[in-house]
Amino acid sequence: MLSKFFSNKRNLWITGAVISLLAVSGFYAFQNAQADAELADAPPMQTAKVRQGDLVLYASGTGSLVPAAEASFGFRSSGQLLTLSVAVGDTVEVGDLLAELDNTAEKIKLQLAERTLAEITSPASVAAAEQALALSERNLSDSEKSLAYQIGWAVLNSEEKVTEAEEALVLAKESSDEEKITAAEAALASAEKVLAGNWDYYENYYIPQNFKVAATRSTPAYIATPTEFDILEARAGYAMAKAQLVEAGDYLAVIKGGEIPEGATGSSLKALEQAQLDLLSAQDSLDATRLYAPISGMVMSINANVGDTLGTSAIMTIATPDDLVVRLYMDETDLDNATVGNKTLMTFDAFPDIVFSGEITMVEQALQIVDGTPVIVSWVTFENEANLSILSGMTADVEIIGGEALDALLVPIQALREIAPGSYAVFIVAADGSLKLTPVTVGLRDFSNAEILTGVSAGDVVSTGVVETK
């Protein structure tokens, strides 16, 4: 009975296992059939081959030919036009005298200023300055002796040593060198000690020996000690004599052709400076009545005739018609292509089949408004290799080469996958149809293609997405 129970139970377990196995097999068969149906319904993958080719980035703009240099100018003063030395079409060099106003008064003023300065610097004036220097030297010697008599040579020399030590200490402190400062302080202390000793000698020995007045019948002997006023007066005379000697030396050096020393003073030197300023002013006034060429080029226009009374408005224009450049206007969205050094290609309405080359040499740093639209303004060289008759003012259609990748590896722009900001990859399609995500380095890009610097080889097949159908 018990064995029959176990036999029936084993048969039931086997039957259940078979049923379960059939159920699982059916489920996986259903899943695979469904997956096959989905693959059959999936749109086909779109691919492209990595190819070698050229990628050139272009931006376009319009501009006009203008002279590389142009100047419109006039006189710096008003008056009647006296002479006109050029005509329209003449070629001039920078600095050429082109025209002149009636400037009789200015010429007289210049002559007087030249004469005044010539008199100040004449041989006779130089001799007088040398004599003044000699007198200053003698006066300095006399004033030094006078002060030395009042306070004694020992005190005078010691005072000068103290002054020198004080100046040395100031310089040492400016250098922030502790060793120099310590040495300068010690030198000053030593000089001050010597000075104090000499003052002691002065009071106890020098005064009695040099200022004793002998007795007379009416007055007893006494010591006529120098007063504080006597000493101050002697010091002032000595200081003034030293200053006068410096002024005399500076003045003599200047009228002999030297430069005016910084901080130099003196009435004679002031007169010389004024004479020099008067000469410069007179020359400038005369130059204001003369018209000089500010640049080299061709005279393009003259708006005055001899005899006209003129102000300071421009009356003449000089330009360089044989040296032309293109003033180029570009949309502000093309800012990346407005770079100094970028090559350009241009055509003109007069020569539609001829392409002229050039290069951006300057980009203005502010947008300009042209016909109500903000534009980038660039300056482009113009190379007339065909020696055609090109006129200033011609309109040019310009293409700017923003970048070139020649014989580069190229893929369609749709093949790029951005895996991180600024980082890209492509899906390379293997022979069995599997996809491999491969990081790449991207160079130049336009609207349809991208230059690949690393990561792929020519002939590789990359995925560009799937073909979508409706």
Side-chain angles (χ1 to χ4, degrees), residues 138-179:
R138 182 190 301 175
N139 186 39
L140 176 62
S141 177
D142 292 344
S143 61
E144 184 182 29
K145 291 176 182 177
S146 176
L147 177 59
Y149 174 72
Q150 297 289 337
I151 64 175
W153 280 107
V155 171
L156 179 58
N157 291 334
S158 296
E159 287 182 339
E160 291 179 345
K161 293 293 184 183
V162 169
T163 300
E164 292 174 0
E166 290 173 339
E167 293 173 350
L169 179 58
V170 171
L171 293 175
K173 288 182 177 179
E174 290 177 352
S175 70
S176 300
D177 188 323
E178 292 299 330
E179 292 185 1

Side-chain angles (χ1 to χ4, degrees), residues 139-453:
N139 186 39
L140 176 62
S141 177
D142 292 344
S143 61
E144 184 182 29
K145 291 176 182 177
S146 176
L147 177 59
Y149 174 72
Q150 297 289 337
I151 64 175
W153 280 107
V155 171
L156 179 58
N157 291 334
S158 296
E159 287 182 339
E160 291 179 345
K161 293 293 184 183
V162 169
T163 300
E164 292 174 0
E166 290 173 339
E167 293 173 350
L169 179 58
V170 171
L171 293 175
K173 288 182 177 179
E174 290 177 352
S175 70
S176 300
D177 188 323
E178 292 299 330
E179 292 185 1
K180 290 184 178 179
I181 294 174
T182 301
E185 289 175 341
L188 176 58
S190 176
E192 289 175 338
K193 184 177 180 180
V194 172
L195 176 59
N198 286 331
W199 271 118
D200 184 69
Y201 174 83
Y202 170 78
E203 293 174 355
N204 293 295
Y205 298 97
Y206 183 82
I207 289 178
Q209 290 176 1
N210 292 278
F211 295 97
K212 184 178 180 180
V213 179
T216 65
R217 291 181 179 180
S218 58
T219 59
Y222 67 95
I223 297 176
T225 304
T227 66
E228 184 177 349
F229 177 79
D230 293 335
I231 295 175
L232 288 175
E233 185 177 30
R235 288 186 187 280
Y238 183 45
M240 183 179 294
K242 288 195 290 186
Q244 289 175 342
L245 179 62
V246 172
E247 289 180 356
D250 288 344
Y251 179 67
L252 179 60
V254 171
I255 65 173
K256 282 185 173 182
E259 296 291 331
I260 298 178
E262 184 178 356
T265 59
S267 57
S268 297
L269 195 58
K270 184 177 180 180
L272 173 61
E273 288 180 314
Q274 188 59 53
Q276 291 173 331
L277 290 173
D278 290 344
L279 178 60
L280 290 174
S281 176
Q283 184 64 60
D284 184 68
S285 296
L286 181 60
D287 287 340
T289 67
R290 292 171 171 170
L291 203 60
Y292 297 95
I295 61 173
S296 298
M298 180 180 292
V299 178
M300 307 301 291
S301 66
I302 300 175
N303 300 317
N305 296 302
V306 173
D308 290 349
T309 299
L310 305 176
T312 56
S313 301
I315 65 165
M316 193 175 299
T317 299
I318 295 177
T320 53
D322 295 329
D323 184 13
L324 301 175
V325 295
V326 175
R327 192 166 192 254
L328 173 64
Y329 306 105
M330 302 167 56
D331 190 272
E332 60 181 312
T333 57
D334 292 322
L335 178 61
D336 290 344
N337 296 307
T339 303
V340 173
N342 278 2
K343 303 298 182 181
T344 62
L345 303 172
M346 64 191 80
T347 59
F348 300 95
D349 291 342
F351 309 101
D353 298 327
I354 300 177
V355 178
F356 300 86
S357 59
E359 179 180 320
I360 295 179
T361 58
M362 192 267 285
V363 179
E364 295 185 7
Q365 296 303 301
L367 294 178
Q368 303 293 330
I369 303 299
V370 177
D371 296 333
T373 302
V375 295
I376 301 167
V377 179
S378 303
W379 294 86
V380 179
T381 59
F382 168 70
E383 299 177 9
N384 186 6
E385 297 177 351
N387 293 321
L388 299 174
S389 179
I390 304 293
L391 303 179
S392 176
M394 281 186 170
T395 300
D397 292 319
V398 184
E399 285 189 338
I400 303 92
I401 301 175
E404 287 183 308
L406 304 180
D407 197 26
L409 296 177
L410 304 178
V411 300
I413 202 73
Q414 296 87 349
L416 296 180
R417 304 291 185 266
E418 189 169 18
I419 56 178
S423 298
Y424 296 89
V426 296
F427 281 108
I428 295 181
V429 182
D432 61 359
S434 61
L435 300 178
K436 181 182 179 182
L437 186 66
T438 304
V440 294
T441 304
V442 179
L444 297 179
R445 287 184 293 174
D446 61 13
F447 292 106
S448 58
N449 294 294
E451 175 194 12
I452 305 300
L453 302 176

